[in-house]
Amino acid sequence: MQNPLLETPKARHGAYPFDKILPEHFLPALNAAIETAKGKLETFKNDKRTDFQHVVVEKSDITEQVDYIAGIFFNLHSAECSDELEKISPEVSEILTRFGNDISLDPKIFMKVKACYDTRMNQGLTPEEMTIIEKTYKSFVRNGALLAESEKDQMRVMDEKLAKLTLTFSQNVLKATNDYLMEITDKADLEGLPEGVIEAAAELAEKKGKAGSWCFDLNVPSMLPFMTYSKKRDLRKKLLIASSSKTFNTKYDNQETLKEILKLRTERAQLLGFKTHADYVLEERMAMSPKKVMDFLEELLSKAKPHAEKDVARLKKLAAEDGINDLQSYDTAYYSEILKKRELDMDDEMLRPYFKLENVVDGIFEVAKRLYGLSFKEVFDVPKYHADVRTFEVFDEQTNAFVGLFYTDFFPRPTKRGGAWMSGIKEQGMYQGKVERPHIMIVCNFTKPTKTKPSLLTLDEVLTLYHEFGHALHGLLSKVKYRELSGTNVYWDFVELPSQIMENWVLEKECLDIFAVHYETGEKIPADLVQKIKASGKFLEGMGTLRQLTFAFLDMAYHTTDPNSIKDIGEFETKTVERTTLLPKIPGTSISTSFSHIFAGGYSAGYYSYKWAEVLDADAFEFFQTSGIFNREVANKFREFILEKGGTEHPMELYKKFRGQEPDVGALLRRAGLH
C-alpha cells in the first residue's frame, strides 16, 4: 500500500498531503519511520564523533520523519478528529512516548550529547548553536538521562501513562461537549435572544434532526450568546450547569484521571530531584520559581480584588431591579451585557454588523502589511483537511521573498476541539541541511454564517483572531537556523507576548478604521462606537482579572500540593479559589475536570503566564503608542528582537533589546484601570 506519510510531499511549498492522508496510514507509517530511525540511531551511537554538527544536527535529521508524522497526526487530532483517528490515538501516543524515551534515556546517546556539551566552548559555535547544545543537554537531564537504570524504567512507565491519561482527559472533554444539546420547543423561551442567534439555533436543530425547534450546545458560539442575552434565568442555569459539570460525576468523569495525572507528575518531578511539578516546570521559565509566581499573583490579586468587588456590587444592584437578590454565576454574562448597554451604550449585537469575518481577516492582513511589510495571497492548490480551511502564501513586500504558508480554520464542528490555537504545522528552520520557511495554522471556533447572514463576529472573537494571528506572526517571521529554537519555541511565560500585544490594535481607531465596516451598508464604524470599544477594554476588568487569577491560583495549587492529600476534587477546588470567588459555587460543578489547558495542554504550572505576558504586552504597546501604533521603526525592532529571534536568547535579554528596559507591571494596571 502506498503511504503518503512516507513520501516526499509534492504539493506547493512541500505542503502536507492532507487530501491523500487516511487514518489507516498513520500506524504503518509511524512504525516504519521509527524502525528506520532506530537503525540510523544505532549507527549514530557507534560513531565516535561528538561535534555539534554530528550530535545535534545529524541526530535531528534522523528523527525528522517521525516528527513529521506525529505533527500531522496531532494537528488533525485537534482540528479534524474522526472516530478512526480517535480510536488509534492512544496507540500513537504510546508509540511516540516510548520512542522519545528510547532516545532521551539511552546512555550512549546521552554520553555523546554530554561530550558535545562539555566541549562547547572549544568548538567555535555561534550563540544560537551554544543555546541549542545547552538546551539539548538540559532536555536530556530533565528527561532522566542522569538517573539509574531502575529509575529510568520508572520514568518510561510514568511517561507512557501520562501520555495516555492526558489524552483521555482531552477526549472526555470533547465527547462531553459534543454529547449535550439543549432543545427549545417553545418560542417564548427564546425571549431576549438576537435574531442571528435564533437563526443559528434553528440551523443547529435542523442539523441534529430536530427541525422546527431551536438547539444550543456547549460550544462558545452557541452557548455564550444564550448566556448573554436570554431572559430565561432557569434556562441559563440549565446550560451553565451542563457546561460546568460535563466531566464531573458524569459518564465522562475526569476526576480520577486528574488525580492520576497529578500523582505521576509529582512522582516524576521528585524522581528528577524537584520538590513539586511546579518547581520542575518553572526551572525553564522567566518566573523561575513557584514563590515568584505566587508573589506575582498575590500582587495582582491585591490590586484587582477591590475593583472586582465593586464590579459585582454593580451587577447585584442591577439584578435587584429584576427582583433577583441572589446573583449567581449564570447571571453575570446577562447582567454584564445590560450594564454595558446602560453605562457605555454598547453591546455585542451593535458591533457584530461591523465585524464580518472576511473583513476582519482582510483587516488583519493589512495590519501585518503596515507593521511588517507582509502580503497574504490566497492559493487554492494547497491540500486541505476540511472544506472550511483557507490557505495563503505570505511574502515580504520589500524583497518579494516567500515568508511562509498560512492556514485558517474558523468554524466549530463536532470533530474539532473547542477554543482557539495556533499550530506550527512545519516550523521554520533546518531540514536535512536546508533552512526552510514555515507552514503555520490558526484554528478557532467562531460564529458560523447562517442562511441569511455572513459570519458576524463579537468583539471577543475579533480579539481572539488578533491573538492567534500574533502567535502566527511569531511562527511566520521566525529567522533562525535550527527549528528547535524557531518561532514559538520560547519560554512559556514569554510565548504569549506576540499574541497578546496584537489585541491592543483592536481597541485603536486607526486600526478599526481599516476593517470595521457595516456588512450591508459599507459604512465605516462610527467614531462614538470606536470610543465605546476603547472604554470596553476597562469595563468590569476587576472581575475579568479575578477570573484569570482563579485559574492561575488553581493551577499552582494543584501542582504544588502533595497529590495524595487531594481526596475530593470539588472540595479542593472550592477551598483553593475561595479568595478569588465572589459568587456562590453551584453544587455539582467543577472548573478542574474540564481544565484542558493544564491537564491536556502545555500550561501545567504555567497558566499564570497569560497575566505575566500581559505585563510584557502592556509595556510593549505603550512603546508603540509613544511613536504611533503603525510606526515601522518600532515594529521593525519588535520584529527583529521578538518575532524573528525565537528562543535563541533569554527572553528578558530580547525584551530589553526591543524596549530598552525591563517591563513595568504598572503598564498593565494602567491599561486595565486597576492602578
Side-chain angles (χ1 to χ4, degrees), residues 560-578:
T560 54
T561 302
D562 176 2
N564 295 308
S565 69
I566 303 173
K567 306 297 183 189
D568 184 303
I569 296 299
E571 279 182 22
F572 182 82
E573 179 184 302
T574 302
K575 187 177 176 186
T576 300
V577 303
E578 207 167 21

Side-chain angles (χ1 to χ4, degrees), residues 40 51 60 67 90 187 214 398 400 406 445 486 574 645:
K40 290 179 179 177
D51 60 285
S60 179
D67 297 339
K187 196 168 185 177
W214 299 268
Q398 278 191 317
N400 205 33
F406 180 53
N445 283 274
S486 74
T574 302
K645 287 288 194 291

Side-chain angles (χ1 to χ4, degrees), residues 190 193 195-207 210 213-216 222 450:
L190 301 173
L193 298 178
E195 177 193 330
V197 174
I198 294 171
E199 186 181 358
E203 288 187 12
L204 180 60
E206 194 175 326
K207 189 177 172 185
K210 298 179 184 293
S213 64
W214 299 268
C215 286
F216 296 86
S222 178
T450 64

Side-chain angles (χ1 to χ4, degrees), residues 594-637:
S594 296
F595 200 170
S596 297
H597 270 76
I598 67 169
F599 292 115
Y603 281 85
S604 61
Y607 199 88
Y608 76 92
S609 61
Y610 281 105
K611 278 293 167 196
W612 184 277
E614 271 191 52
V615 172
L616 300 176
D617 94 70
D619 185 67
F621 193 67
E622 280 191 353
F623 189 31
F624 271 95
Q625 287 175 308
T626 58
S627 309
I629 64 167
F630 289 114
N631 182 281
R632 186 62 74 88
E633 190 180 338
V634 177
N636 282 342
K637 288 188 78 173

Side-chain angles (χ1 to χ4, degrees), residues 510-541:
E510 206 177 335
C511 177
L512 286 164
D513 281 345
I514 295 171
F515 68 87
V517 296
H518 197 286
Y519 79 101
E520 288 177 314
T521 66
E523 171 200 1
K524 270 193 174 184
I525 190 166
D528 66 321
L529 207 46
V530 173
Q531 283 304 112
K532 290 168 187 175
I533 290 172
K534 183 88 171 168
S536 75
K538 297 180 182 179
F539 181 71
L540 299 182
E541 187 56 33

Side-chain angles (χ1 to χ4, degrees), residues 97 99 123 145 289 315 375 470 482 519 599 626:
T97 304
F99 178 63
Q123 292 188 49
S289 71
L315 294 183
S375 69
Y482 303 102
Y519 79 101
F599 292 115
T626 58

